[in-house]
Amino acid sequence: MKKLVNGFILLLFLFGIQEVVAQTTSTQVEFAETQWDFGKIKEVDGVVSHTFTFKNVSTTPFIINFVSVSCGCTSPEYSKEPVMPGKTGQITIHYDPAGRPGFFSKEIYVLSNNRKSQNIITIQGTVEPRPRTVEDDYPVVFPDGLRATSNSIAFKNVPAGYRHTMAIGVYNNSDKNITVNTVMPQSAGVSVYASPEVLASKAKGQILFTYDTKNNVGYGPFSYDFNITVNGNKVSSPIRVRGVVIPDFSKLTYQEKMNAPRGDMDSQFHYFGEVGLSETLTHNFELANNGNRDLIIEAVIPSSSEVTCTLPKKVLKKGEKEIISVTLHPKKSGRISQNVIIVVNDPTDPVKDIRVVANIR
């Protein structure tokens, strides 16, 4: 009896496979080709197209219900009229290479018979990028023809004990020389300057920002704003500099890195939803040490007075977990978004950026 049941189950399984195959591959039509290689195409030439031809080799009408593409760069064109037995039909695929340099390969799914069967056709090719313009490379516009690569500098994580320098590229797009200077409040370990100060017509330069952490023993985020002047006129929007100072892990050996602590969080984001101004908004996050040595919490820096963070202890042994309690203190109605930066001695992921958001009625 058991063998009979097992045999029946096997038959059902095999029948199920045949049913899936029948539903996923249409044998009603034969395509003259199922793949098309555009070869090398130029981005500046715009949309390219190819028409796939198929023949209905069955005894029933063939109707395309839907043609599925993977992205907006690919669009199909086809007739929804039935293709009668022995007749041919066409599907034209358009590909837009704008902003998509390099190799591409796209699968297009042709769904028919009330979407119970499908055929797959493929296009591919390589897009030669259009020549870059000044506007591409220097999208930020300043007065008197000065352009820049960005209006911000993101250092991300910088190890303590070193001088770190990053630059913004600038370009004089005018027909005259431009004088560029920097304006920044004095701050220890921080310097910014334009090189060169006098930028010739159609010439390139840089604005260099240096942050010296050699004497900095504190960890956590840093932020600075500075202005530039163009031909003596101060630009109204400041250039923003952001980053996080972390411990220096460069001297760790491979074995020390393998045996290092590892801080894993269950989540780093929480949305409180729509809540009243007087409600208490607290969420608990879990930090676990899944490494082999003590996990040390080096710094806890809230983004403003509207958010506070409570940690029972600053050192987690191997395998220990800790609850990090984050509380929002909204001061007015509207959307509030705050974060807490936590720096730990985990060389693989030293910065935990916890963000909490709420809509306050």
Side-chain angles (χ1 to χ4, degrees):
M1 182 66 181
K2 184 176 181 181
K3 289 182 179 181
L4 182 62
V5 171
N6 290 340
F8 180 70
I9 293 174
L10 179 60
L11 285 173
L12 286 177
F13 177 73
L14 292 174
F15 177 79
I17 292 178
Q18 291 175 347
E19 181 68 13
V20 169
V21 171
Q23 290 182 357
T24 57
T25 304
S26 172
T27 57
Q28 277 188 277
V29 295
E30 288 182 354
F31 277 81
E33 62 203 356
T34 57
Q35 297 182 351
W36 180 256
D37 189 349
F38 286 103
K40 290 185 178 180
I41 61 175
K42 293 183 178 180
E43 184 181 352
V44 293
D45 289 342
V47 176
V48 293
S49 304
H50 180 72
T51 298
F52 292 87
T53 302
F54 61 86
K55 181 178 181 180
N56 184 350
V57 295
S58 72
T59 58
T60 58
F62 178 79
I63 301 175
I64 298 175
N65 296 116
F66 186 69
V67 177
S68 175
V69 295
S70 58
C71 75
C73 60
T74 309
S75 59
E77 183 180 345
Y78 59 95
S79 173
K80 295 184 180 179
E81 295 297 321
V83 178
M84 304 307 291
K87 301 298 182 180
T88 59
Q90 294 180 333
I91 300 171
T92 300
I93 303 299
H94 307 284
Y95 180 77
D96 186 355
R100 298 178 175 89
F103 177 78
F104 67 90
S105 178
K106 302 292 179 181
E107 286 188 338
I108 299 99
Y109 293 84
V110 182
L111 304 177
S112 57
N113 294 348
N114 296 321
R115 302 193 184 188
K116 291 183 178 180
S117 60
Q118 69 180 19
N119 293 86
I120 302 174
I121 54 180
T122 305
I123 60 170
Q124 67 178 43
T126 302
V127 179
E128 295 181 357
R130 63 182 173 84
R132 293 187 66 83
T133 64
V134 169
E135 290 75 17
D136 291 330
D137 294 331
Y138 300 88
V140 179
V141 179
F142 290 125
D144 296 343
L146 183 69
R147 303 184 70 99
T149 55
S150 178
N151 58 0
S152 63
I153 297 176
F155 276 96
K156 295 187 178 179
N157 298 340
V158 296
Y162 300 90
R163 294 176 76 248
H164 303 272
T165 300
M166 287 191 71
I168 291 175
V170 291
Y171 179 79
N172 181 358
N173 200 35
S174 73
D175 296 325
K176 299 179 181 179
N177 290 352
I178 292 177
T179 301
V180 183
N181 291 111
T182 58
V183 181
M184 181 170 180
Q186 260 192 324
S187 182
V190 174
S191 64
V192 59
Y193 65 94
S195 176
E197 289 186 359
V198 179
L199 198 59
S201 173
K202 310 305 178 184
K204 299 176 182 179
Q206 290 182 315
I207 296 174
L208 296 104
F209 183 93
T210 299
Y211 185 52
D212 191 348
T213 63
K214 286 184 178 179
N215 298 318
N216 188 340
V217 294
Y219 303 122
F222 63 87
S223 62
Y224 297 93
D225 290 348
F226 68 88
N227 287 86
I228 64 171
T229 64
V230 181
N231 292 331
N233 299 315
K234 186 177 179 181
V235 176
S236 58
S237 300
I239 294 176
R240 299 193 166 182
V241 183
R242 300 290 185 269
V244 180
V245 180
I246 63 171
D248 178 19
F249 302 110
S250 63
K251 296 180 177 62
L252 293 180
T253 65
Y254 173 79
Q255 193 61 40
E256 286 173 330
K257 290 180 181 179
M258 293 297 293
N259 291 321
R262 195 183 82 201
D264 294 328
M265 297 199 64
D266 61 342
S267 171
Q268 292 181 222
F269 175 82
H270 182 72
Y271 176 54
F272 288 102
E274 188 172 326
V275 294
L277 185 61
S278 60
E279 293 185 43
T280 301
L281 306 177
T282 299
H283 183 74
N284 292 332
F285 299 87
E286 185 181 87
L287 174 65
N289 180 8
N290 293 320
N292 295 313
R293 300 205 174 177
D294 289 356
L295 180 72
I296 301 172
I297 297 174
E298 305 282 6
V300 179
I301 313 292
S303 56
S304 77
S305 60
E306 286 191 299
V307 61
T308 56
C309 181
T310 303
L311 297 88
K313 53 188 176 182
K314 295 295 182 70
V315 179
L316 277 72
K317 299 292 185 182
K318 176 182 176 180
E320 282 190 332
K321 297 179 181 179
E322 178 179 23
I323 296 299
I324 300 173
S325 183
V326 177
T327 303
L328 270 180
H329 308 278
K331 298 178 181 179
K332 59 182 180 179
S333 299
R335 185 175 178 84
I336 179 173
S337 176
Q338 298 291 341
N339 68 313
V340 177
I341 296 291
I342 298 178
V343 180
V344 296
N345 64 332
D346 175 358
T348 60
D349 187 16
V351 178
K352 314 297 180 185
D353 188 355
I354 299 174
R355 181 164 295 276
V356 285
V357 178
N359 286 324
I360 309 301
R361 295 192 297 268

